[in-house]
mmCIF file of all heavy atoms in Angstrom:
data_model
loop_
_atom_site.group_PDB
_atom_site.id
_atom_site.type_symbol
_atom_site.label_atom_id
_atom_site.label_comp_id
_atom_site.label_asym_id
_atom_site.label_seq_id
_atom_site.Cartn_x
_atom_site.Cartn_y
_atom_site.Cartn_z
ATOM 1 N N ILE B 257 -77.154 -22.922 -45.502
ATOM 2 C CA ILE B 257 -76.008 -23.363 -44.708
ATOM 3 C C ILE B 257 -75.953 -22.550 -43.427
ATOM 4 O O ILE B 257 -76.173 -21.332 -43.445
ATOM 5 C CB ILE B 257 -74.690 -23.126 -45.480
ATOM 6 C CG1 ILE B 257 -74.646 -23.921 -46.779
ATOM 7 C CG2 ILE B 257 -73.484 -23.434 -44.607
ATOM 8 C CD1 ILE B 257 -73.483 -23.526 -47.673
ATOM 9 N N TRP B 258 -75.595 -23.213 -42.348
ATOM 10 C CA TRP B 258 -75.292 -22.572 -41.075
ATOM 11 C C TRP B 258 -73.856 -22.914 -40.698
ATOM 12 O O TRP B 258 -73.482 -24.090 -40.705
ATOM 13 C CB TRP B 258 -76.190 -23.104 -39.967
ATOM 14 C CG TRP B 258 -77.556 -22.534 -39.941
ATOM 15 C CD1 TRP B 258 -78.632 -22.939 -40.673
ATOM 16 C CD2 TRP B 258 -78.015 -21.462 -39.127
ATOM 17 N NE1 TRP B 258 -79.730 -22.181 -40.360
ATOM 18 C CE2 TRP B 258 -79.373 -21.272 -39.408
ATOM 19 C CE3 TRP B 258 -77.399 -20.649 -38.176
ATOM 20 C CZ2 TRP B 258 -80.135 -20.287 -38.772
ATOM 21 C CZ3 TRP B 258 -78.157 -19.683 -37.551
ATOM 22 C CH2 TRP B 258 -79.509 -19.508 -37.857
ATOM 23 N N LEU B 259 -73.076 -21.908 -40.350
ATOM 24 C CA LEU B 259 -71.764 -22.112 -39.762
ATOM 25 C C LEU B 259 -71.770 -21.384 -38.426
ATOM 26 O O LEU B 259 -71.941 -20.161 -38.381
ATOM 27 C CB LEU B 259 -70.648 -21.565 -40.658
ATOM 28 C CG LEU B 259 -69.236 -21.582 -40.072
ATOM 29 C CD1 LEU B 259 -68.808 -22.980 -39.650
ATOM 30 C CD2 LEU B 259 -68.242 -20.987 -41.062
ATOM 31 N N SER B 261 -69.453 -20.883 -35.139
ATOM 32 C CA SER B 261 -68.094 -21.086 -34.650
ATOM 33 C C SER B 261 -67.631 -19.809 -33.964
ATOM 34 O O SER B 261 -67.620 -18.750 -34.596
ATOM 35 C CB SER B 261 -67.168 -21.429 -35.826
ATOM 36 O OG SER B 261 -65.879 -21.752 -35.401
ATOM 37 N N VAL B 264 -63.337 -18.085 -36.371
ATOM 38 C CA VAL B 264 -63.329 -18.564 -37.746
ATOM 39 C C VAL B 264 -62.162 -17.894 -38.476
ATOM 40 O O VAL B 264 -61.901 -16.707 -38.290
ATOM 41 C CB VAL B 264 -64.696 -18.298 -38.447
ATOM 42 C CG1 VAL B 264 -65.016 -16.835 -38.527
ATOM 43 C CG2 VAL B 264 -64.788 -18.969 -39.783
ATOM 44 N N LEU B 295 -66.649 -21.514 -49.429
ATOM 45 C CA LEU B 295 -67.883 -20.942 -48.878
ATOM 46 C C LEU B 295 -68.460 -19.872 -49.807
ATOM 47 O O LEU B 295 -69.664 -19.856 -50.074
ATOM 48 C CB LEU B 295 -67.621 -20.322 -47.508
ATOM 49 C CG LEU B 295 -67.494 -21.252 -46.325
ATOM 50 C CD1 LEU B 295 -67.176 -20.444 -45.066
ATOM 51 C CD2 LEU B 295 -68.748 -22.070 -46.123
ATOM 52 N N VAL B 299 -72.155 -19.735 -51.758
ATOM 53 C CA VAL B 299 -73.113 -18.637 -51.669
ATOM 54 C C VAL B 299 -73.365 -18.054 -53.061
ATOM 55 O O VAL B 299 -74.512 -17.773 -53.431
ATOM 56 C CB VAL B 299 -72.624 -17.565 -50.672
ATOM 57 C CG1 VAL B 299 -73.579 -16.374 -50.629
ATOM 58 C CG2 VAL B 299 -72.474 -18.175 -49.279
ATOM 59 N N ASN B 304 -77.948 -20.016 -49.353
ATOM 60 C CA ASN B 304 -78.128 -18.958 -48.361
ATOM 61 C C ASN B 304 -77.256 -19.314 -47.171
ATOM 62 O O ASN B 304 -77.245 -20.452 -46.722
ATOM 63 C CB ASN B 304 -79.580 -18.852 -47.935
ATOM 64 C CG ASN B 304 -80.492 -18.477 -49.082
ATOM 65 O OD1 ASN B 304 -80.051 -17.956 -50.098
ATOM 66 N ND2 ASN B 304 -81.770 -18.748 -48.934
ATOM 67 N N PHE B 305 -76.529 -18.341 -46.641
ATOM 68 C CA PHE B 305 -75.490 -18.624 -45.652
ATOM 69 C C PHE B 305 -75.708 -17.816 -44.384
ATOM 70 O O PHE B 305 -75.865 -16.598 -44.437
ATOM 71 C CB PHE B 305 -74.132 -18.292 -46.268
ATOM 72 C CG PHE B 305 -72.962 -18.542 -45.373
ATOM 73 C CD1 PHE B 305 -72.672 -19.801 -44.900
ATOM 74 C CD2 PHE B 305 -72.120 -17.494 -45.023
ATOM 75 C CE1 PHE B 305 -71.570 -20.033 -44.085
ATOM 76 C CE2 PHE B 305 -71.010 -17.705 -44.212
ATOM 77 C CZ PHE B 305 -70.745 -18.983 -43.740
ATOM 78 N N ASN B 306 -75.712 -18.498 -43.247
ATOM 79 C CA ASN B 306 -75.763 -17.880 -41.921
ATOM 80 C C ASN B 306 -74.449 -18.179 -41.221
ATOM 81 O O ASN B 306 -74.097 -19.345 -41.045
ATOM 82 C CB ASN B 306 -76.889 -18.485 -41.070
ATOM 83 C CG ASN B 306 -78.255 -18.192 -41.627
ATOM 84 O OD1 ASN B 306 -78.685 -17.052 -41.653
ATOM 85 N ND2 ASN B 306 -78.938 -19.229 -42.078
ATOM 86 N N LEU B 307 -73.746 -17.136 -40.805
ATOM 87 C CA LEU B 307 -72.533 -17.298 -40.018
ATOM 88 C C LEU B 307 -72.785 -16.711 -38.639
ATOM 89 O O LEU B 307 -73.150 -15.539 -38.522
ATOM 90 C CB LEU B 307 -71.344 -16.583 -40.667
ATOM 91 C CG LEU B 307 -70.067 -16.501 -39.829
ATOM 92 C CD1 LEU B 307 -69.524 -17.881 -39.479
ATOM 93 C CD2 LEU B 307 -69.011 -15.669 -40.545
ATOM 94 N N VAL B 308 -72.607 -17.530 -37.607
ATOM 95 C CA VAL B 308 -72.708 -17.076 -36.224
ATOM 96 C C VAL B 308 -71.314 -17.179 -35.626
ATOM 97 O O VAL B 308 -70.719 -18.262 -35.608
ATOM 98 C CB VAL B 308 -73.707 -17.933 -35.416
ATOM 99 C CG1 VAL B 308 -73.768 -17.439 -33.974
ATOM 100 C CG2 VAL B 308 -75.081 -17.929 -36.057
ATOM 101 N N THR B 309 -70.803 -16.042 -35.147
ATOM 102 C CA THR B 309 -69.460 -16.003 -34.592
ATOM 103 C C THR B 309 -69.368 -14.863 -33.583
ATOM 104 O O THR B 309 -70.340 -14.145 -33.359
ATOM 105 C CB THR B 309 -68.399 -15.870 -35.710
ATOM 106 O OG1 THR B 309 -67.112 -16.117 -35.174
ATOM 107 C CG2 THR B 309 -68.455 -14.517 -36.398
ATOM 108 N N ARG B 310 -68.209 -14.690 -33.014
ATOM 109 C CA ARG B 310 -67.971 -13.590 -32.080
ATOM 110 C C ARG B 310 -67.438 -12.373 -32.822
ATOM 111 O O ARG B 310 -66.806 -12.500 -33.865
ATOM 112 C CB ARG B 310 -66.984 -14.021 -30.996
ATOM 113 C CG ARG B 310 -67.563 -15.077 -30.088
ATOM 114 C CD ARG B 310 -66.628 -15.437 -28.981
ATOM 115 N NE ARG B 310 -67.266 -16.442 -28.122
ATOM 116 C CZ ARG B 310 -66.709 -16.942 -27.062
ATOM 117 N NH1 ARG B 310 -65.503 -16.535 -26.677
ATOM 118 N NH2 ARG B 310 -67.329 -17.844 -26.335
ATOM 119 N N ASP B 311 -67.685 -11.216 -32.254
ATOM 120 C CA ASP B 311 -67.236 -9.954 -32.833
ATOM 121 C C ASP B 311 -65.787 -9.704 -32.408
ATOM 122 O O ASP B 311 -65.510 -8.951 -31.476
ATOM 123 C CB ASP B 311 -68.162 -8.828 -32.352
ATOM 124 C CG ASP B 311 -67.899 -7.520 -33.069
ATOM 125 O OD1 ASP B 311 -67.046 -7.484 -33.979
ATOM 126 O OD2 ASP B 311 -68.547 -6.520 -32.707
ATOM 127 N N LEU B 312 -64.878 -10.379 -33.112
ATOM 128 C CA LEU B 312 -63.451 -10.298 -32.796
ATOM 129 C C LEU B 312 -62.675 -9.892 -34.044
ATOM 130 O O LEU B 312 -63.071 -10.233 -35.165
ATOM 131 C CB LEU B 312 -62.934 -11.663 -32.319
ATOM 132 C CG LEU B 312 -63.606 -12.240 -31.068
ATOM 133 C CD1 LEU B 312 -63.187 -13.687 -30.862
ATOM 134 C CD2 LEU B 312 -63.266 -11.389 -29.860
ATOM 135 N N ASN B 315 -61.923 -12.722 -36.536
ATOM 136 C CA ASN B 315 -63.112 -13.175 -37.261
ATOM 137 C C ASN B 315 -63.497 -12.172 -38.343
ATOM 138 O O ASN B 315 -63.905 -12.558 -39.441
ATOM 139 C CB ASN B 315 -64.285 -13.388 -36.300
ATOM 140 C CG ASN B 315 -64.052 -14.539 -35.354
ATOM 141 O OD1 ASN B 315 -63.205 -15.393 -35.586
ATOM 142 N ND2 ASN B 315 -64.798 -14.563 -34.269
ATOM 143 N N LYS B 316 -63.370 -10.887 -38.029
ATOM 144 C CA LYS B 316 -63.694 -9.854 -39.018
ATOM 145 C C LYS B 316 -62.762 -9.939 -40.218
ATOM 146 O O LYS B 316 -63.164 -9.679 -41.351
ATOM 147 C CB LYS B 316 -63.663 -8.470 -38.374
ATOM 148 C CG LYS B 316 -64.851 -8.244 -37.457
ATOM 149 C CD LYS B 316 -64.851 -6.850 -36.886
ATOM 150 C CE LYS B 316 -66.089 -6.652 -36.022
ATOM 151 N NZ LYS B 316 -66.113 -5.326 -35.408
ATOM 152 N N PHE B 318 -61.535 -12.697 -41.485
ATOM 153 C CA PHE B 318 -62.093 -13.770 -42.302
ATOM 154 C C PHE B 318 -63.333 -13.276 -43.051
ATOM 155 O O PHE B 318 -63.503 -13.552 -44.241
ATOM 156 C CB PHE B 318 -62.461 -14.979 -41.439
ATOM 157 C CG PHE B 318 -63.176 -16.054 -42.185
ATOM 158 C CD1 PHE B 318 -62.468 -16.999 -42.906
ATOM 159 C CD2 PHE B 318 -64.564 -16.113 -42.189
ATOM 160 C CE1 PHE B 318 -63.133 -18.001 -43.625
ATOM 161 C CE2 PHE B 318 -65.232 -17.112 -42.889
ATOM 162 C CZ PHE B 318 -64.511 -18.045 -43.613
ATOM 163 N N ILE B 319 -64.213 -12.558 -42.356
ATOM 164 C CA ILE B 319 -65.454 -12.072 -42.962
ATOM 165 C C ILE B 319 -65.164 -11.140 -44.130
ATOM 166 O O ILE B 319 -65.796 -11.235 -45.188
ATOM 167 C CB ILE B 319 -66.354 -11.410 -41.892
ATOM 168 C CG1 ILE B 319 -66.870 -12.482 -40.925
ATOM 169 C CG2 ILE B 319 -67.514 -10.642 -42.533
ATOM 170 C CD1 ILE B 319 -67.492 -11.938 -39.650
ATOM 171 N N VAL B 320 -64.208 -10.244 -43.978
ATOM 172 C CA VAL B 320 -63.837 -9.336 -45.060
ATOM 173 C C VAL B 320 -63.347 -10.138 -46.262
ATOM 174 O O VAL B 320 -63.758 -9.895 -47.401
ATOM 175 C CB VAL B 320 -62.773 -8.317 -44.590
ATOM 176 C CG1 VAL B 320 -62.143 -7.588 -45.766
ATOM 177 C CG2 VAL B 320 -63.391 -7.325 -43.610
ATOM 178 N N SER B 321 -62.486 -11.108 -46.020
ATOM 179 C CA SER B 321 -61.968 -11.948 -47.100
ATOM 180 C C SER B 321 -63.100 -12.711 -47.797
ATOM 181 O O SER B 321 -63.144 -12.790 -49.032
ATOM 182 C CB SER B 321 -60.938 -12.930 -46.537
ATOM 183 O OG SER B 321 -60.496 -13.817 -47.524
ATOM 184 N N PHE B 322 -64.018 -13.243 -47.021
ATOM 185 C CA PHE B 322 -65.174 -13.961 -47.566
ATOM 186 C C PHE B 322 -66.031 -13.034 -48.423
ATOM 187 O O PHE B 322 -66.373 -13.347 -49.564
ATOM 188 C CB PHE B 322 -65.988 -14.550 -46.402
ATOM 189 C CG PHE B 322 -67.363 -15.012 -46.757
ATOM 190 C CD1 PHE B 322 -67.557 -16.173 -47.490
ATOM 191 C CD2 PHE B 322 -68.480 -14.286 -46.347
ATOM 192 C CE1 PHE B 322 -68.834 -16.599 -47.820
ATOM 193 C CE2 PHE B 322 -69.756 -14.717 -46.658
ATOM 194 C CZ PHE B 322 -69.936 -15.875 -47.403
ATOM 195 N N LYS B 323 -66.367 -11.855 -47.905
ATOM 196 C CA LYS B 323 -67.236 -10.917 -48.624
ATOM 197 C C LYS B 323 -66.617 -10.445 -49.940
ATOM 198 O O LYS B 323 -67.328 -10.220 -50.910
ATOM 199 C CB LYS B 323 -67.566 -9.710 -47.748
ATOM 200 C CG LYS B 323 -68.569 -9.994 -46.654
ATOM 201 C CD LYS B 323 -68.842 -8.707 -45.876
ATOM 202 C CE LYS B 323 -69.913 -8.864 -44.853
ATOM 203 N NZ LYS B 323 -70.169 -7.581 -44.142
ATOM 204 N N LEU B 326 -67.618 -12.603 -52.909
ATOM 205 C CA LEU B 326 -69.040 -12.774 -53.225
ATOM 206 C C LEU B 326 -69.460 -11.976 -54.451
ATOM 207 O O LEU B 326 -68.943 -10.892 -54.706
ATOM 208 C CB LEU B 326 -69.906 -12.346 -52.031
ATOM 209 C CG LEU B 326 -69.778 -13.190 -50.775
ATOM 210 C CD1 LEU B 326 -70.625 -12.597 -49.654
ATOM 211 C CD2 LEU B 326 -70.172 -14.636 -51.038
ATOM 212 N N LYS B 331 -76.702 -14.099 -50.886
ATOM 213 C CA LYS B 331 -77.576 -14.077 -49.711
ATOM 214 C C LYS B 331 -76.853 -14.683 -48.520
ATOM 215 O O LYS B 331 -76.611 -15.884 -48.478
ATOM 216 C CB LYS B 331 -78.873 -14.819 -50.008
ATOM 217 C CG LYS B 331 -79.686 -14.122 -51.085
ATOM 218 C CD LYS B 331 -80.981 -14.832 -51.351
ATOM 219 C CE LYS B 331 -81.775 -14.091 -52.404
ATOM 220 N NZ LYS B 331 -83.052 -14.731 -52.653
ATOM 221 N N TYR B 332 -76.543 -13.822 -47.560
ATOM 222 C CA TYR B 332 -75.842 -14.266 -46.364
ATOM 223 C C TYR B 332 -76.229 -13.374 -45.193
ATOM 224 O O TYR B 332 -76.692 -12.251 -45.369
ATOM 225 C CB TYR B 332 -74.330 -14.229 -46.574
ATOM 226 C CG TYR B 332 -73.789 -12.839 -46.749
ATOM 227 C CD1 TYR B 332 -73.310 -12.130 -45.647
ATOM 228 C CD2 TYR B 332 -73.774 -12.230 -47.993
ATOM 229 C CE1 TYR B 332 -72.833 -10.846 -45.802
ATOM 230 C CE2 TYR B 332 -73.300 -10.952 -48.153
ATOM 231 C CZ TYR B 332 -72.825 -10.262 -47.055
ATOM 232 O OH TYR B 332 -72.355 -8.985 -47.202
ATOM 233 N N LYS B 333 -76.028 -13.897 -43.994
ATOM 234 C CA LYS B 333 -76.230 -13.148 -42.757
ATOM 235 C C LYS B 333 -75.051 -13.432 -41.840
ATOM 236 O O LYS B 333 -74.658 -14.583 -41.679
ATOM 237 C CB LYS B 333 -77.528 -13.558 -42.059
ATOM 238 C CG LYS B 333 -78.772 -13.205 -42.844
ATOM 239 C CD LYS B 333 -80.024 -13.641 -42.130
ATOM 240 C CE LYS B 333 -81.223 -13.372 -43.034
ATOM 241 N NZ LYS B 333 -82.465 -13.866 -42.447
ATOM 242 N N ILE B 334 -74.528 -12.378 -41.248
ATOM 243 C CA ILE B 334 -73.470 -12.500 -40.257
ATOM 244 C C ILE B 334 -74.100 -12.118 -38.920
ATOM 245 O O ILE B 334 -74.639 -11.016 -38.789
ATOM 246 C CB ILE B 334 -72.274 -11.565 -40.554
ATOM 247 C CG1 ILE B 334 -71.786 -11.733 -41.993
ATOM 248 C CG2 ILE B 334 -71.175 -11.784 -39.520
ATOM 249 C CD1 ILE B 334 -71.158 -13.041 -42.346
ATOM 250 N N ILE B 335 -74.030 -12.996 -37.962
ATOM 251 C CA ILE B 335 -74.612 -12.768 -36.645
ATOM 252 C C ILE B 335 -73.484 -12.818 -35.628
ATOM 253 O O ILE B 335 -72.801 -13.842 -35.496
ATOM 254 C CB ILE B 335 -75.684 -13.836 -36.321
ATOM 255 C CG1 ILE B 335 -76.788 -13.777 -37.366
ATOM 256 C CG2 ILE B 335 -76.231 -13.661 -34.914
ATOM 257 C CD1 ILE B 335 -77.342 -15.110 -37.736
ATOM 258 N N PHE B 336 -73.279 -11.709 -34.929
ATOM 259 C CA PHE B 336 -72.273 -11.675 -33.874
ATOM 260 C C PHE B 336 -72.959 -12.014 -32.560
ATOM 261 O O PHE B 336 -73.916 -11.348 -32.161
ATOM 262 C CB PHE B 336 -71.596 -10.313 -33.796
ATOM 263 C CG PHE B 336 -70.724 -10.027 -34.986
ATOM 264 C CD1 PHE B 336 -71.045 -9.028 -35.880
ATOM 265 C CD2 PHE B 336 -69.574 -10.771 -35.216
ATOM 266 C CE1 PHE B 336 -70.246 -8.766 -36.983
ATOM 267 C CE2 PHE B 336 -68.762 -10.525 -36.315
ATOM 268 C CZ PHE B 336 -69.095 -9.518 -37.200
ATOM 269 N N ALA B 337 -72.481 -13.074 -31.918
ATOM 270 C CA ALA B 337 -73.055 -13.546 -30.661
ATOM 271 C C ALA B 337 -71.926 -13.687 -29.655
ATOM 272 O O ALA B 337 -71.130 -14.633 -29.736
ATOM 273 C CB ALA B 337 -73.769 -14.876 -30.875
ATOM 274 N N TYR B 390 -80.612 -17.856 -32.530
ATOM 275 C CA TYR B 390 -80.023 -16.698 -33.180
ATOM 276 C C TYR B 390 -81.061 -15.856 -33.920
ATOM 277 O O TYR B 390 -80.708 -14.983 -34.703
ATOM 278 C CB TYR B 390 -78.862 -17.136 -34.080
ATOM 279 C CG TYR B 390 -77.826 -17.876 -33.268
ATOM 280 C CD1 TYR B 390 -77.627 -19.246 -33.435
ATOM 281 C CD2 TYR B 390 -77.114 -17.225 -32.270
ATOM 282 C CE1 TYR B 390 -76.711 -19.932 -32.650
ATOM 283 C CE2 TYR B 390 -76.199 -17.901 -31.476
ATOM 284 C CZ TYR B 390 -76.002 -19.251 -31.675
ATOM 285 O OH TYR B 390 -75.102 -19.924 -30.887
ATOM 286 N N ASN B 391 -82.347 -16.140 -33.656
ATOM 287 C CA ASN B 391 -83.463 -15.336 -34.151
ATOM 288 C C ASN B 391 -83.370 -15.084 -35.661
ATOM 289 O O ASN B 391 -83.398 -13.942 -36.121
ATOM 290 C CB ASN B 391 -83.525 -14.004 -33.390
ATOM 291 C CG ASN B 391 -84.850 -13.315 -33.567
ATOM 292 O OD1 ASN B 391 -85.873 -13.963 -33.805
ATOM 293 N ND2 ASN B 391 -84.845 -11.997 -33.464
ATOM 294 N N VAL B 392 -83.222 -16.153 -36.407
ATOM 295 C CA VAL B 392 -83.088 -16.051 -37.856
ATOM 296 C C VAL B 392 -84.284 -16.713 -38.522
ATOM 297 O O VAL B 392 -84.624 -17.851 -38.229
ATOM 298 C CB VAL B 392 -81.774 -16.714 -38.342
ATOM 299 C CG1 VAL B 392 -81.716 -16.768 -39.846
ATOM 300 C CG2 VAL B 392 -80.582 -15.958 -37.792
ATOM 301 N N TRP B 396 -85.080 -13.857 -46.717
ATOM 302 C CA TRP B 396 -83.796 -13.373 -47.245
ATOM 303 C C TRP B 396 -83.944 -12.045 -47.961
ATOM 304 O O TRP B 396 -83.051 -11.597 -48.634
ATOM 305 C CB TRP B 396 -83.164 -14.410 -48.170
ATOM 306 C CG TRP B 396 -82.691 -15.557 -47.363
ATOM 307 C CD1 TRP B 396 -83.369 -16.705 -47.094
ATOM 308 C CD2 TRP B 396 -81.474 -15.651 -46.652
ATOM 309 N NE1 TRP B 396 -82.643 -17.506 -46.272
ATOM 310 C CE2 TRP B 396 -81.474 -16.887 -45.992
ATOM 311 C CE3 TRP B 396 -80.382 -14.817 -46.518
ATOM 312 C CZ2 TRP B 396 -80.392 -17.296 -45.213
ATOM 313 C CZ3 TRP B 396 -79.327 -15.235 -45.744
ATOM 314 C CH2 TRP B 396 -79.342 -16.469 -45.101
ATOM 315 N N GLU B 398 -84.384 -9.282 -46.344
ATOM 316 C CA GLU B 398 -83.901 -8.270 -45.433
ATOM 317 C C GLU B 398 -82.614 -7.662 -45.948
ATOM 318 O O GLU B 398 -81.935 -8.228 -46.784
ATOM 319 C CB GLU B 398 -83.623 -8.888 -44.058
ATOM 320 C CG GLU B 398 -84.837 -9.515 -43.408
ATOM 321 C CD GLU B 398 -84.476 -10.285 -42.147
ATOM 322 O OE1 GLU B 398 -83.377 -10.091 -41.614
ATOM 323 O OE2 GLU B 398 -85.313 -11.083 -41.723
ATOM 324 N N ASP B 399 -82.259 -6.491 -45.407
ATOM 325 C CA ASP B 399 -80.977 -5.883 -45.726
ATOM 326 C C ASP B 399 -79.883 -6.758 -45.141
ATOM 327 O O ASP B 399 -79.803 -6.922 -43.938
ATOM 328 C CB ASP B 399 -80.929 -4.484 -45.130
ATOM 329 C CG ASP B 399 -79.619 -3.784 -45.448
ATOM 330 O OD1 ASP B 399 -78.927 -4.210 -46.379
ATOM 331 O OD2 ASP B 399 -79.297 -2.830 -44.736
ATOM 332 N N LEU B 400 -79.072 -7.311 -45.989
ATOM 333 C CA LEU B 400 -78.041 -8.220 -45.531
ATOM 334 C C LEU B 400 -76.736 -7.476 -45.356
ATOM 335 O O LEU B 400 -75.756 -7.954 -44.963
ATOM 336 C CB LEU B 400 -77.887 -9.373 -46.523
ATOM 337 C CG LEU B 400 -79.172 -10.138 -46.802
ATOM 338 C CD1 LEU B 400 -78.936 -11.170 -47.884
ATOM 339 C CD2 LEU B 400 -79.669 -10.814 -45.559
#
Side-chain angles (χ1 to χ4, degrees):
I257 298 170
W258 281 84
L259 173 57
S261 185
V264 62
L295 283 178
V299 177
N304 297 340
F305 180 62
N306 295 294
L307 171 61
V308 179
T309 192
R310 293 183 179 181
D311 189 3
L312 301 169
N315 293 342
K316 288 183 178 178
F318 173 84
I319 292 166
V320 167
S321 176
F322 165 73
K323 285 181 175 181
L326 294 176
K331 295 182 179 182
Y332 66 93
K333 294 179 185 176
I334 308 293
I335 300 143
F336 291 113
Y390 302 111
N391 196 27
V392 173
W396 289 94
E398 300 172 16
D399 181 19
L400 304 175

